[in-house]
Amino acid sequence: MRKLPLLVAILLTAVVAMAQKEPIVMTVNGVPVTRSEFEYSYNKNNGEGIADKLTVEEYVELFVNYKLKVAAALDARLDTLSSFKEEYAMYRNQQVRPTLVTDADVLEEAKRIYIDTKEMVGPRGLVRPAHILIRLSTKASVREQETASQRADSVYRALLAGADFAEMAGKVSQDPGSARQGGLLPWMAPHQTFKEFEEVAYSLQKGEMSRPFLSPEGYHIVLMRDRKQLEPFDSLKEDIVYAIEQQGIRDAIAAQKVAQTVRDSKGTLTEAQLMDMRADSLATADSDMKYLMQEYHDGLLLYEISNQKVWKRAAEDEEGLRTWFRKHKKDYAWSEPRYKGMAYHVKTKSDVKAVRQCVKSLPFEQWEDALRQTFNPDSVIRIRVEKGIFKLGDNPVVDQMVFKVRSHSQQVYPDYPIDAVFGKKLKKYPDDYTDVREKVVEDYQDMLESEWVASLRRHYPVQIDYEVLKTINQHP
């Protein structure tokens, strides 16, 4: 009994020794990054199909910043939030769950599907009919019924006289899908179509044709193209397995296995614990899977901390955006003038002035609501309006009435013959940061990002082994 602790100690020492053999390319806030982890990230983001590939030296700076942000998220304990845990478990389990299913499990499911299908088909087998359909609504009048019946009889007589069934189906059948195939339908098993159609189809031998008969769809004439019994399992196995993979049935198999394992544990194991154990096992055996799961984990943390520190903060800091714009207004200069206002179209001259009076004392962003409530409060459209910041070529009315460039465009709204504009011409600069809000937010975010990264660099220690870095993708 005393030998067991010694054996465990030896095994643990061996595991640690193996781990230590992996070169460390950098340490960020005391957390080592192995060469294989860095290579996984570098190769994934600089592989085939990536237009702007980075050198290792260029990428290492981005990678360090990434790790610094993750360190900040961990310090903020974002990984302890229930929302984070649930989202990470969902992403991770999408990768882990399918690995619980073996080829034997899929084969067993394929056999079960085959047996169920064989029982459904039964001794009646499968049929491959072709049909010609004359559609008839179940609510059709007596006259419509008579017309459809007469047309079906006429087609039937033509077929008896020697007309080609496929050609006739292509010309007169009102089932477009099968008509393009000469009336041919897919293989059918019992209980897959209308009872009336099934009874007639299964009464026909190969090559036999039915008289016209009525189903809820209308009148049919059926020609039996082929009949057969269900093939043996071995000849259908590949098709069934392919269908299992394509239809997501593997996920259902995995869910069943998880549920069964939890039931068999009789309360000693939860689904979450089982998935944790499986994830740990996969990470130990497959480094790519290990780094993929870590990528999910760190990526979710990165998103949340970045949203707090940069994205959401910038989008909601109206005063900060306003101040940034005032300090950097020259960066948002236009190469050509703009018109901040609206082009509008009315039916009467009095509405030209009424529209201006409605909005002249209101902020630009409130114009649309005011005009809608005043002039178009219901289904009656009294005016038409295009509001925005226009440059030459954006709007024919603005081109003509503001920029004094004759437009050759036809009138957009003939029922609103009077065109007018209201607003102001901006020769070089936006009037307000909201005029170029998207670009201002983007620049403000870049500034916040830069300041944040600089503070992280000061706060967290980073050590890079440049000798190990030289061996990236250049070692046995």
Side-chain angles (χ1 to χ4, degrees), residues 128-385:
R128 187 80 188 274
H131 81 144
I132 294 171
L133 172 66
I134 307 299
R135 289 197 181 276
L136 181 65
S137 169
T138 54
K139 298 180 181 179
S141 66
V142 173
R143 183 170 182 176
E144 288 172 333
Q145 293 178 37
E146 290 176 352
T147 300
S149 176
Q150 290 171 5
R151 189 176 185 192
D153 287 339
S154 175
V155 171
Y156 180 64
R157 288 194 298 271
L159 292 170
L160 290 178
D164 182 78
F165 191 95
E167 289 183 9
M168 187 67 75
K171 291 177 181 177
V172 305
S173 180
Q174 294 174 322
D175 175 13
S178 67
R180 289 190 292 269
Q181 307 296 322
L184 190 63
L185 293 167
W187 283 99
M188 291 183 180
H191 316 301
Q192 284 190 313
T193 185
F194 296 116
K195 179 182 177 182
E196 297 85 352
F197 191 99
E198 181 179 320
E199 287 179 352
V200 173
Y202 272 94
S203 71
L204 300 172
Q205 295 304 311
K206 183 177 178 180
E208 286 187 330
M209 183 176 71
S210 75
R211 298 180 62 84
F213 65 93
L214 190 62
S215 85
E217 265 191 320
Y219 282 97
H220 304 264
I221 302 171
V222 171
L223 174 64
M224 184 52 57
R225 290 297 189 185
D226 206 356
R227 298 187 64 142
K228 68 177 180 180
Q229 292 297 318
L230 188 66
E231 291 89 342
F233 172 72
D234 285 344
S235 62
L236 297 176
K237 178 173 64 176
E238 290 185 7
D239 291 336
I240 300 174
V241 170
Y242 178 78
I244 287 173
E245 300 293 358
Q246 293 298 307
Q247 296 176 19
I249 298 176
R250 179 182 281 266
D251 292 337
I253 300 171
Q256 292 170 6
K257 289 193 73 173
V258 169
Q260 186 61 52
T261 303
V262 171
R263 284 195 297 270
D264 292 344
S265 74
K266 297 180 179 179
T268 62
L269 188 65
T270 67
E271 180 177 340
Q273 290 171 330
L274 176 61
M275 298 307 290
D276 287 343
M277 291 167 57
R278 180 61 178 172
D280 291 342
S281 174
L282 288 170
T284 301
D286 184 346
S287 62
D288 280 356
M289 180 65 78
K290 171 186 174 181
Y291 295 138
L292 178 62
M293 289 190 285
Q294 183 175 322
E295 188 177 32
Y296 283 142
H297 180 276
D298 292 354
L300 290 172
L301 290 176
L302 177 66
Y303 176 86
E304 186 57 38
I305 193 73
S306 297
N307 197 40
Q308 291 181 14
K309 297 291 187 180
V310 178
W311 305 329
K312 186 178 180 182
R313 178 181 166 189
E316 295 179 352
D317 185 6
E318 299 297 330
E319 186 55 40
L321 292 170
R322 191 174 290 108
T323 301
W324 172 269
F325 175 74
R326 283 199 299 265
K327 289 181 178 178
H328 303 86
K329 188 173 182 177
K330 60 180 176 58
D331 295 336
Y332 302 97
W334 290 316
S335 59
E336 55 184 321
R338 300 290 195 276
Y339 183 71
K340 181 179 181 180
M342 61 180 174
Y344 61 102
H345 320 272
V346 298
K347 296 181 178 181
T348 63
K349 288 184 177 180
S350 60
D351 274 346
V352 173
K353 184 176 180 180
V355 168
R356 293 177 180 176
Q357 289 295 116
C358 177
V359 300
K360 71 177 185 178
S361 60
L362 296 176
F364 185 64
E365 60 271 14
Q366 295 179 17
W367 287 12
E368 286 172 302
D369 287 341
L371 292 170
R372 186 182 304 109
Q373 293 171 17
T374 304
F375 296 96
N376 301 333
D378 48 35
S379 59
V380 178
I381 307 299
R382 184 170 156 191
I383 65 172
R384 297 283 189 176
V385 180

Side-chain angles (χ1 to χ4, degrees), residues 338-342 364 367 388-390 422-426 431-432 434-435:
R338 300 290 195 276
Y339 183 71
K340 181 179 181 180
M342 61 180 174
F364 185 64
W367 287 12
I389 299 176
F390 305 96
F422 182 73
K424 60 181 174 179
K425 191 173 181 180
L426 305 174
D431 189 43
D432 186 79
T434 56
D435 297 343

